[in-house]
Amino acid sequence: MKNKSRFWLLRRSPYGLALCFWLLFLSCGNKNNDSFQIKGKLTNSAGEFISLVNVNSNQPKTIDSAKVDENGEFIFTKKVPEKGFYSLQISVSNYATIIADSTEKITIEGDAKHLSESCKASGSKDSELFSVFNSSTKKTFKEMEAVRMQQDSIRRVFEAYMNTTKDSITVNAFSKSLEPIFNSYSDKYRKLADEVSVYIKKFIDENTSSFACLAAVQMLNPDKDIVYFSKVADALTTKYPTIETLKGFKAYVDGEKRLSVGMPAPEITMNDKDGMPLSLSSMKGKVVIVDFWASWCKPCRAENPFVVSLYNKYKDKGLDIFSVSLDFKKDAWLGAIAQDKLTWKNHVCDMKQWQSPVVALYGFSGIPFACVLDKNGNIAGKNLRGPALEEKIKELLK
């Protein structure tokens, strides 16, 4: 299975992403003036070097470096190229991130040993808002992480118990005794996640054109909250039309909007097993699983028995499958169809593997990947598997 990195989609789980952002971006601030400057004073310094790093792309670039003097002071005067996120870095694990542009003067205070946790600044509204956002979400993120650790502990206890007994009755009884505890942690996690989501949306609604919202919105799930992604992208690109970082974000959001739930599924026309063109739009009137897979993809082949079971269970109720292969050898493709008993007739492939236009058209970076379409040919769900996929099909077939 091939996996391609995507600049703006940092993590599929919105709340896992939230934890990452909290660790990465502890806020600082700045002050508008006629010339650029970052001036800092650090406690617990031992003459370290500190760098100003551009982190607005996949290839971080050092803009300026300075040695912290005997008084704990340093200064950067080389201008940042454009407004964005910049890292003050003592080491790869000791840094803080600020929002800055080339016209601002920024004053930094902090502990040289724990820069990310101690960084404070006077200055611009964007950085101050960023600091407020991080402070307001920090406690909840820690609580969410603690809940996950508790659930991991329960899993380890159960796995250890399973390794000590082969009595299925005893194992099942122990599993049932742990289930309410595990579920209570799941409920707590969902409640905390909902609280964070509500706060993030309120923050964006109140500060839409602030650069701080660029970090905040990425803690949401674009599949569910594309409206907020769109709101931030539109506001920031209107306010800062020349910033390349924002152009990239806007392009990403536009792609996500095109594939958001409720939108018409992009048309796919490819040759079928007999070399005849077959279009996805010809299947309107049925609930359709658009399944992207390949004969060489082991996870896809492992998933196929479940897809087959869904087809056999719901085909007489209005379900059909449109299978799009990323194969490059016809014999391997046809052989896998026969071997895995993929008995539905709608199989297409252009033999271009990852160069197939459908990869960009549907915006996926790995397979198996599936979209579920309603009877009108609109996207009803993306990247669903297992019980979640079956639940969505049952919902659409009602």
Side-chain angles (χ1 to χ4, degrees):
M1 181 174 70
K2 183 172 181 180
N3 196 356
K4 300 179 179 178
S5 64
R6 207 188 268 177
F7 176 56
W8 281 109
L9 197 53
L10 301 177
R11 111 146 130 80
R12 268 298 181 198
S13 168
Y15 303 110
L17 176 60
L19 289 172
C20 292
F21 253 105
W22 167 61
L23 293 171
L24 284 174
F25 297 138
L26 273 282
S27 88
C28 299
N30 48 53
K31 183 178 180 181
N32 288 329
N33 212 315
D34 294 333
S35 60
F36 174 80
Q37 177 182 282
I38 296 178
K39 188 176 182 179
K41 185 174 179 63
L42 304 178
T43 59
N44 292 323
S45 171
E48 300 93 340
F49 276 91
I50 186 168
S51 299
L52 175 64
V53 181
N54 187 340
V55 293
N56 292 290
S57 72
N58 285 333
Q59 297 180 328
K61 183 178 181 181
T62 299
I63 297 171
D64 202 355
S65 294
K67 186 175 183 179
V68 182
D69 67 19
E70 62 274 11
N71 297 316
E73 297 178 351
F74 67 91
I75 187 169
F76 297 132
T77 57
K78 291 183 180 178
K79 290 185 176 183
V80 299
E82 61 185 10
K83 192 175 186 73
F85 293 98
Y86 296 89
S87 177
L88 302 175
Q89 190 172 106
I90 291 177
S91 70
V92 292
S93 59
N94 187 12
Y95 57 87
T97 302
I98 62 173
I99 298 172
D101 71 31
S102 61
T103 65
E104 295 172 337
K105 285 190 174 181
I106 306 166
T107 302
I108 303 295
E109 292 182 356
D111 184 335
K113 304 302 182 186
H114 307 285
L115 191 58
S116 64
E117 297 175 4
S118 63
C119 179
K120 294 181 180 179
S122 58
S124 79
K125 184 178 178 180
D126 276 343
S127 286
E128 290 170 359
L129 282 170
F130 195 27
S131 179
V132 167
F133 178 81
N134 284 322
S135 297
S136 298
T137 54
K138 176 179 178 180
K139 181 175 180 292
T140 307
F141 292 155
K142 280 188 172 182
E143 291 177 2
M144 291 168 68
E145 186 178 21
V147 170
R148 282 300 189 216
M149 290 176 66
Q150 292 287 349
Q151 289 184 310
D152 288 342
S153 296
I154 293 172
R155 289 191 188 97
R156 287 194 294 270
V157 168
F158 182 67
E159 289 169 0
Y161 185 78
M162 287 183 64
N163 291 332
T164 62
T165 180
K166 295 182 179 179
D167 184 351
S168 61
I169 296 176
T170 304
V171 170
N172 288 337
F174 187 55
S175 175
K176 287 181 179 179
S177 70
L178 291 178
E179 187 175 355
I181 303 172
F182 188 88
N183 289 342
S184 70
Y185 282 119
S186 295
D187 292 340
K188 184 176 181 180
Y189 187 90
R190 280 193 293 270
K191 182 180 178 182
L192 291 169
D194 289 342
E195 289 175 2
V196 169
S197 179
V198 169
Y199 174 78
I200 292 171
K201 292 174 182 179
K202 184 174 184 291
F203 180 86
I204 292 171
D205 286 336
E206 294 175 351
N207 308 285
T208 311
S209 62
S210 170
F211 226 89
C213 289
L214 188 60
V217 75
Q218 290 180 81
M219 297 180 184
L220 299 176
N221 186 338
D223 290 342
K224 297 180 180 178
D225 298 308
I226 191 63
V227 170
Y228 280 88
F229 280 78
S230 211
K231 180 182 291 190
V232 172
D234 291 344
L236 288 178
T237 52
T238 298
K239 188 174 181 179
Y240 305 104
T242 63
I243 294 181
E244 293 301 320
T245 303
L246 296 178
K247 291 179 182 178
F249 180 65
K250 181 70 161 59
Y252 160 71
V253 171
D254 288 345
E256 289 294 314
K257 281 172 63 177
R258 181 171 49 83
L259 294 168
S260 61
V261 171
M263 295 295 288
E267 178 68 292
I268 299 173
T269 301
M270 287 185 185
N271 285 348
D272 64 12
K273 294 185 293 182
D274 300 320
M276 301 298 294
L278 178 63
S279 295
L280 176 60
S281 58
S282 68
M283 301 182 70
K284 283 186 179 180
K286 294 185 176 182
V287 172
V288 178
I289 300 174
V290 186
D291 185 30
F292 298 91
W293 74 295
S295 67
W296 45 262
C297 169
K298 290 183 179 179
C300 302
R301 303 295 295 275
E303 185 84 358
N304 277 344
F306 178 72
V307 178
V308 169
S309 71
L310 288 180
Y311 178 71
N312 291 334
K313 189 173 181 179
Y314 296 104
K315 64 180 180 180
D316 293 333
K317 298 179 181 180
L319 175 69
D320 211 338
I321 300 176
F322 190 86
S323 290
V324 184
S325 173
L326 299 190
D327 269 288
F328 55 96
K329 293 182 179 179
K330 187 172 183 178
D331 289 346
W333 171 45
L334 297 180
I337 291 172
Q339 185 175 355
D340 293 358
K341 298 180 174 59
L342 311 183
T343 56
W344 50 91
K345 65 179 182 179
N346 307 296
H347 291 273
V348 297
C349 184
D350 59 9
M351 303 299 161
K352 295 180 180 179
Q353 202 176 13
W354 284 101
Q355 281 65 53
S356 175
V358 297
V359 176
L361 187 64
Y362 275 78
F364 57 88
S365 57
I367 52 176
F369 177 81
C371 283
V372 181
L373 311 186
D374 64 21
K375 295 178 181 180
N376 296 316
N378 297 324
I379 296 173
K382 293 188 298 181
N383 207 25
L384 300 175
R385 292 190 188 182
L389 177 58
E390 183 168 10
E391 285 303 312
K392 177 57 67 174
I393 290 167
K394 288 164 63 176
E395 173 191 323
L396 295 171
L397 287 173
K398 287 181 180 178

